[in-house]
Amino acid sequence: MVKIHPDHTTSGAGDITSSPYLTTEKESFTIWMKSLVFNTNGCTVFDCKGNIIYRVDNYNSKSCREVYLMDLLGHVLFTLRSQKFGLFKTWEGYRSPSGTSDSTTNSEYFRVKSNIFQVPSKDSYSSYRVLTGSCRKNEQYHYKIVTRGSSLGIEDICGRVVAEVKRKQSRKGLEFGDDVLTMVVESQVDHSFIIGLVLTHRLINRKL
């Protein structure tokens, strides 16, 4: 199962280590919906110190069927794929422990369903169920993506908001353009998984 609160792991030396993508406290990130590669669709994610930590470089076209979430060095962290089952359009995200997109067999994965019968409410509310598992084995409902107006939240199964995305504002309260967002992630949360869900939501809505 893709874990939003991953377990600690043991290194080869026997020391206890934790995921490099696990927040140790509430953290803020900036998502710029532009690729740094010329003439390419995608996005770039910065941490609170202005360092690039994630990027998506879509060389083919906007809203393609397969997208790679990479770190700064180009190692693939998640492979996002579009699937369609009957009346439901689904996006699946496969964790790539090897840093490549070559194999996703037995990978931890998540699936986000989009229901074509979902009618937007007056306050632009919508929600998407997030199933997690290991390549369709033992799938369970653990998270929900919720949008209210221009804000996006990710809730766990208990309804606790673990991350929120809004338009970025300057210190004086002025909003940047639609393509500059702020993502706030709570403590002890895997922010690589969170950005994977955020990008999947934008792919479903053809915004990436």
Side-chain angles (χ1 to χ4, degrees), residues 88-105:
F88 297 94
K89 186 175 182 180
T90 300
W91 276 87
E92 299 176 348
Y94 297 84
R95 192 183 290 277
S96 306
S98 64
T100 70
S101 60
D102 294 339
S103 176
T104 54
T105 304

Side-chain angles (χ1 to χ4, degrees), residues 170-186:
S170 69
R171 293 182 179 179
K172 295 183 179 181
L174 299 176
E175 288 188 336
F176 290 87
D178 293 339
D179 58 350
V180 184
L181 310 172
T182 293
M183 181 177 74
V184 178
V185 181
E186 295 296 329

Side-chain angles (χ1 to χ4, degrees), residues 1-3 93-94 106-111 130-142:
M1 181 187 81
V2 177
K3 296 183 179 180
Y94 297 84
N106 298 322
S107 296
E108 295 178 344
Y109 104 123
F110 63 82
R111 184 155 59 100
V130 180
L131 304 175
T132 62
S134 178
C135 292
R136 298 188 177 281
K137 295 179 181 178
N138 303 317
E139 275 190 345
Q140 297 182 36
Y141 164 53
H142 280 93

